[in-house]
Amino acid sequence: MLVALNLNLAAAQTIVNGVIDQPLTVIPGDALRGRTIVASRQTGLCLLCHSGPFPEERFQGNLAPELSSSVARYTAPQLRARIVDTSHFNSNTIMPAYYRTDLLNRVAPKFVGQTILSGQEIEDVVAFLLSLNTSVQ
């Protein structure tokens, strides 16, 4: 039953004024799990385009901004919105919508109706990205 609720939430997320204010789960994000997702070449795939503080990863992307500097100006609700559906901010982006199931192109039949990341994984990634911001706000 909880899984069905989670899938319904994916379709219900709305970006308002550039943010998604409410977390996607009731369990707070975990920065260590988020780091694992971002660095994973099977889950998040973030390092295909981005680079970041991952000295153990030999090949990191250069198509998108470096993560530490690019997330420094964003709050959790702003980051959440960008991960859920970055095309809301830039219709020409190459970054996938990690938590959307509608209006997508070229989705393999076995993945139709599924999000790339779960709500908890999004919250974990947001927690990790916020941990990169060491500047005082």
Side-chain angles (χ1 to χ4, degrees):
M1 184 67 134
L2 185 59
V3 174
L5 291 174
N6 191 21
L7 292 176
N8 291 334
L9 286 174
Q13 295 308 312
T14 303
I15 298 171
V16 178
N17 296 324
V19 301
I20 297 176
D21 276 323
Q22 296 302 310
L24 304 177
T25 63
V26 295
I27 300 169
D30 179 279
L32 290 176
R33 284 193 313 250
R35 184 187 194 283
T36 300
I37 293 164
V38 170
S40 171
R41 306 237 182 225
Q42 286 78 42
T43 309
L45 301 168
C46 304
L47 297 184
L48 289 177
C49 296
H50 294 277
S51 61
F54 305 96
E56 72 279 11
E57 295 294 332
R58 286 187 57 196
F59 302 106
Q60 298 184 35
N62 61 6
L63 298 174
E66 192 275 334
L67 290 173
S68 297
S69 62
S70 66
V71 302
R73 65 182 184 269
Y74 295 121
T75 64
Q78 291 170 322
L79 288 168
R80 187 177 299 114
R82 280 160 176 75
I83 297 167
V84 163
D85 183 13
T86 197
S87 70
H88 177 85
F89 305 94
N90 176 0
S91 62
N92 294 319
T93 186
I94 60 172
M95 184 170 155
Y98 280 92
Y99 200 65
R100 231 176 96 192
T101 59
D102 63 333
L103 305 173
L104 302 174
N105 297 311
R106 299 185 319 197
V107 178
K110 72 178 188 176
F111 296 115
V112 170
Q114 298 180 42
T115 60
I116 296 172
L117 297 178
S118 70
Q120 187 61 58
E121 289 170 324
I122 298 285
E123 293 304 318
D124 293 343
V125 169
V126 168
F128 169 67
L129 294 175
L130 287 174
S131 78
L132 297 179
N133 185 359
T134 57
S135 67
V136 178
Q137 295 186 9

